[in-house]
Amino acid sequence: IWVRIRLEPSFVIPAYLPPTSHLQRMRLFLCLFLLTLSTAGFAQNKTALKLWYNKPAEKIWESALPIGNGRLGAMIYGNIPQETIQLNEHTVWSGSPNRNDNPNALAVLPEIRQLIFDGKQKEAEQLANKSILTRKSHGQMFQPVGNLMLTFDGHDTYTNYYRELDIERAVAKTSYTVGDVTYTREVLASFPDNVVVMQLTASKPGKLSFSASFSTQQKPSEIKTTTAKELTMTATTSDHEGVKGMVTFKGIARIKNAGGTLATTDTSLIVKGATSATIYVAIATNVNSYKDLSGDENVRAATYLNNGYSKSFAAILKTHVAAYQNYFNRVKLDLGDTEAANLPTDERLRNFRSVNDPQLVTLYYQYGRYLLISSSQPGRAGEVPGQPANLQGIWNNKMRPPWDSKYTININTQMNYWPAEKTNLSEMHEPLFKMIRELAETGQETAKVMYGAGGWMAHHNTDIWRINGPIDGAFWGMWTAGGAWLSQHLWEHYLYNGDRAFLESVYPILKGAAQFYADFLVEHPKYHWLVVTPSTSPENAPQAHGGSSLDAGTTMDNQIVFDVFSTAIRAADILKKDADLVAVLKQKRSKLPPMHIGQHGQLQEWLDDIDDPNDKHRHISHLYGLYPSNQISAYSTPDLFSA
């Protein structure tokens, strides 16, 4: 097999030690070969990277097509008589700045630990529910802004329907024919101009007529038109779990029509007899940061709208595509194609298990990159990075979404960012780094108040207000490694970029994550290793523990602490800092439990050999050491790798 590889100019090989043996040189070659596959300059079919369908989404939100610029998100349904453009903005969350630590935790921590060491895990879980779980908010909700509705009278019967999401250009398109007129809609969320823009065209002059209106589930809210022929929507987000909703937002829509007329009612804009029309939508909130709601959403929205409205759709499209492709075009991938690629995307997906369709794998890979670019953007000139991608990226149509659409940091948030460095989208990591910096601020108090420890920590969930307390129930929430795992993304970024100034800036965060565990670890009375207690292997609960998820020194926690100590040690060595701390961390790292191979030839999930071969739990948390960490290797740890 011949493979042509071309490194893009911005591609940087991670730092590595010079190979000192033939085996190391071969391993290095293979690593670099596999690594460059994800950024190789293969020839690629320029028309293939589209999701396309021959029917509208109708009322199915999951069938709509997502666009986004990191700050704004929209779902495009492609419906005909009444189109829906469902809108999100990254800071539209319920509640307001708050903390949810439970100060009762520190007093009961010794008792909980003793119960676990005594084999009374269920009793420990019950006590944690009573005295460690938060008594306040369990996290706020990411909420929708509302919908832009477009109504087209006389378009109930149509032919030649087609809709697509072009992930090479980040543009959604719908086209159809009514009578002898073809109608086309193109919509994008502009990266440079911070507006959602849609252009509607008719193939014959004077044949485009429609009305535009807003709707929202938010209460209180107000929707109206202005004398400047703008459609506006203002609202305040919800109270939730005792936290007052204080995020106020403003949405504005303005239409630029070619031909015909533009009129208003109290709550809608009406275009009649046009040939084309461009709709500009701007949205802004009062959120400045997780602790500051003093912004002016009215001024912000008006500024975004005026800047965008001054430009034609063609001009906005050109700069939007260029800004997007600056990231997207770094990676080309060609796995070949077959006749299966000629079918609509939904049919290809249904057929995939029984049909050879390698191009769908390429599309899926690039669609993942598209979604990360669209939901997580670095700061533009004069702006800080936005919010990181949440459980649904930036797209949500429900006031009470699943799991509040917040940040589940026992894997989901991290998973969103696994493609960042590996698929040459390093800058997309910036919003996550901003959140980690903020959690490191709020998490210092959590570590001190709840556990009497230095450094910082976070449990398994957080939200826009950067809460750190344990939520939902001890079964899920009694897990201390959320912040620790997140901190490893900072180290990965350094490995890929070799930016010493960046490492210097994040070193206090890496150090703080290690300091927490240096204080929190306790000696196991049976094995005499240093262990995290209480500990969980997220969401799994062996019957040997009475159906409780709590334990001492679970494998995943041991692996994460090993990484936290190791990265802090390596960062300190590189920066020539904190020699005394490095000595302490090395000593404590040497006392962490090793990974064990159990009676079934398995990598143990727990310190005790209690794994059940019939355990079909969907989480395989103890494989953290294999990925995303690199503690298990076919070369250096073949027995663990086999297990």
Side-chain angles (χ1 to χ4, degrees), residues 543-596:
Q543 289 306 308
H545 292 166
S548 172
S549 66
L550 269 61
D551 198 21
T554 64
T555 298
M556 184 192 196
D557 277 358
N558 301 335
Q559 294 164 342
I560 290 177
V561 175
F562 181 89
D563 272 355
V564 166
F565 283 174
S566 298
T567 54
I569 290 166
R570 292 176 68 187
D573 285 345
I574 291 167
L575 299 173
K576 300 188 178 353
K577 292 177 179 284
D578 295 321
D580 291 343
L581 175 64
V582 166
V584 170
L585 296 181
K586 286 182 177 179
Q587 188 267 343
K588 289 183 177 288
R589 184 178 62 178
S590 70
K591 293 186 176 181
L592 294 174
M595 287 178 273
H596 291 82

Side-chain angles (χ1 to χ4, degrees), residues 15 20 88 100 113 151 175 211 269 350 368 433 500 621:
T20 57
N88 290 103
N100 71 337
R113 285 172 166 166
T151 302
S175 64
S211 64
L269 304 176
R350 284 195 297 270
F433 296 162
R500 188 184 177 95
S621 301

Side-chain angles (χ1 to χ4, degrees), residues 1 49 67 161 176 180 189 281 319 539 577 597-598 600 640:
I1 300 173
L49 295 181
I67 61 171
Y161 181 86
Y176 60 96
D180 60 351
V281 180
T319 56
E539 301 187 24
K577 292 177 179 284
I597 298 173
H600 308 291
L640 290 173

Side-chain angles (χ1 to χ4, degrees), residues 390-406:
N390 60 50
L391 273 177
Q392 295 182 190
I394 197 173
W395 302 279
N396 166 46
N397 66 329
K398 292 181 172 63
M399 290 291 284
R400 290 181 172 270
W403 296 280
D404 298 336
S405 194
K406 48 184 184 281

